[in-house]
Amino acid sequence: MLSVEETIVGTEAAQIPKQRGESLLETAVRYAEERHWDVFPGTWLEAAEGVQRCSCGEVACAAPGAHAARPDWATQATGSATVARRMWQKQPTASILLPTGRTFDALSVPETAGFLALARMERMELTLGPVTLTPDRRMQFFVLPGASVKLPDLVRKLGWSPASLDLTALGEGAYVPAPPTRYGSRGAVQWACRPTAANRWLPDAEELISALAYACGRDR
């Protein structure tokens, strides 16, 4: 079981505990070994004149130290713990990125809507997969692959226009940063719901979409 983070359950007022645990290398290896997630190293942070900047060299980088370092990143992604260890040994401070559309897709919503949805899902006694919270105030709910294809129709069936909600699905060709990856000085990616033995089997997007669409509608 991963011991990276405590689980967060509750409302917007819930406080996320500080990240604790292992190095990026050991964490990446655990994701591959224990969750069977593909992983690949992204950019990293470098100190320049006392300021933490992205290794990509862009001064105004939108996700400093937390994005793909090369255009062919999809070919780098591996589910092998041995290969993951080798990659992070070359660059121990590289961010941990997880490609979507393989073992999982991710439903992405604003942080405020995400906490509202978590509280609603708890009342509905829904089984959740892992959920991340990023420093740019987004939450990603891990679901079974295929969500990116089904999302527009699922939202329409609930009476919403897909364009009217800040609810997106990340599938093939996309990725999510994983804890404890840092976004420059803005902080680290956290687990809102950490990976456990209980949520190894992911929910289908259809199981979560009602609560997420409702929360995003309230958050507009």
Side-chain angles (χ1 to χ4, degrees):
M1 183 184 299
L2 292 171
S3 59
V4 179
E5 185 55 53
E6 295 298 326
T7 304
I8 300 167
V9 179
T11 64
E12 299 169 42
Q15 294 297 308
I16 296 174
K18 292 181 179 179
Q19 199 77 38
R20 61 169 202 269
E22 302 155 316
S23 67
L24 288 158
L25 184 155
E26 291 300 331
T27 304
V29 168
R30 279 182 177 270
Y31 291 151
E33 193 169 60
E34 298 183 7
R35 298 300 291 200
H36 305 294
W37 289 340
D38 282 4
V39 298
F40 69 97
T43 54
W44 56 91
L45 296 172
E46 298 176 333
E49 299 177 354
V51 178
Q52 292 287 316
R53 291 189 177 155
C54 187
S55 61
C56 73
E58 287 289 335
V59 175
C61 180
H67 64 87
R70 40 194 276 189
D72 64 341
W73 59 263
T75 65
Q76 273 190 297
T78 180
S80 164
T82 301
V83 175
R85 182 177 297 279
R86 192 180 305 135
M87 289 194 294
W88 266 272
Q89 282 174 340
K90 292 179 182 177
Q91 183 48 255
T93 57
S95 53
I96 303 173
L97 305 178
L98 310 175
T100 50
R102 299 188 182 189
T103 51
F104 65 87
D105 279 6
L107 299 177
S108 178
V109 299
E111 173 188 316
T112 49
F115 276 119
L116 179 61
L118 280 176
R120 190 174 179 85
M121 290 171 187
E122 183 184 21
R123 291 195 299 273
M124 295 168 69
E125 298 184 345
L126 294 178
T127 300
L128 289 176
V131 182
T132 61
L133 173 61
T134 62
D136 59 357
R137 305 179 72 84
R138 301 288 299 183
M139 272 186 172
Q140 283 83 33
F141 290 72
F142 290 18
V143 294
L144 289 172
S148 58
V149 176
K150 296 189 289 187
L151 182 64
D153 282 343
L154 291 175
V155 170
R156 289 190 192 97
K157 286 179 182 177
L158 292 171
W160 295 95
S161 161
S164 69
L165 300 179
D166 189 359
L167 168 59
T168 58
L170 302 173
E172 188 175 357
Y175 59 82
V176 295
T181 295
R182 296 193 65 83
Y183 275 54
S185 61
R186 284 180 272 167
V189 182
Q190 304 278 354
W191 287 116
C193 290
R194 68 185 179 92
T196 66
N199 64 19
R200 183 174 295 278
W201 303 106
L202 298 176
D204 190 276
E206 195 165 356
E207 298 174 58
L208 308 186
I209 195 64
S210 176
L212 288 171
Y214 170 80
C216 289
R218 287 278 303 271
D219 195 48
R220 290 190 305 170

